[in-house]
Amino acid sequence: ELEFESRTAGRLDFRSGRPPTVNAVRVVTGYHTPVVDWDEPWTLLAPDGLRLTNVEAMNSIAWSLLLDDGTASSMVAIVPARYLDDGSHVPAMGEGGRTMNDDLPMMVRTFMIKAFQGRMTRMKTMKVSAITNEGNPKQFPDGFALIERNVGAVGGRRELLDELLDELL
C-alpha cells in the first residue's frame, strides 16, 4: 500500500509540471563516504551536525538542476550554511585560506561519487575533486542548512586532526 501511495504521489507530481519534492538527495556525513548503494541522483557531502531546514525545497531544486534543459547540466552545487551557535556563514575556505572548509556542504551527482570511490574515500578529497572537475558549481540560496559545531569531533579538535593528516599525506 505504501508503494502504491508513493507511485500515486509521484504521478501527481509529474503531471503537475513542477519538480518532485522527494528522493533527489541522499545526505552523507562522516570522515569517509560510505560505498554508494543508493538511488538518489545527488549526494550531499555534509559535516556531522548538519540540519537541513527545508528538505522539500532542496529536493525540488535538486530535481530542477538535474532535469534542466540547458546544454551543460550541473554536477556540483554548493549549499551555503550557517553555524547554529552564532548564525555566521560557513566560509568556503578553511583557516589560513589554503584548503576547502570541511564544514561546507556540497551536493555532488551520485555517479561522480561512485567514480571517485575507486580512487579515494575521504570526503574532503571528494569535494576538492568534484570542484576541480566541475569548474563552476551552482549555488543554492541561503537558508537551507544549519551546522552545529564540533559534532562528531574527537575532543572538539577535528580541525587539528585534519591538519595533521594533511601534513602526513
Side-chain angles (χ1 to χ4, degrees), residues 136-168:
N136 190 16
K138 301 286 186 186
Q139 184 163 332
F140 269 70
D142 195 16
F144 280 91
L146 296 171
I147 297 174
E148 188 174 346
R149 293 183 203 245
N150 293 326
V151 172
V154 179
R157 298 174 189 223
R158 185 179 68 200
E159 292 82 11
L160 178 61
L161 289 173
D162 282 345
E163 285 179 25
L164 289 173
L165 283 172
D166 284 341
E167 288 177 16
L168 291 173

Side-chain angles (χ1 to χ4, degrees), residues 46-69:
D48 293 325
L50 178 81
R51 295 184 191 176
L52 296 176
T53 58
N54 193 340
V55 176
E56 292 81 15
M58 175 174 266
N59 276 294
S60 181
I61 291 172
W63 280 116
S64 294
L65 287 173
L66 182 69
L67 302 173
D68 186 18
D69 290 335

Side-chain angles (χ1 to χ4, degrees), residues 6 79 109:
S6 176
V79 180
R109 291 290 308 276

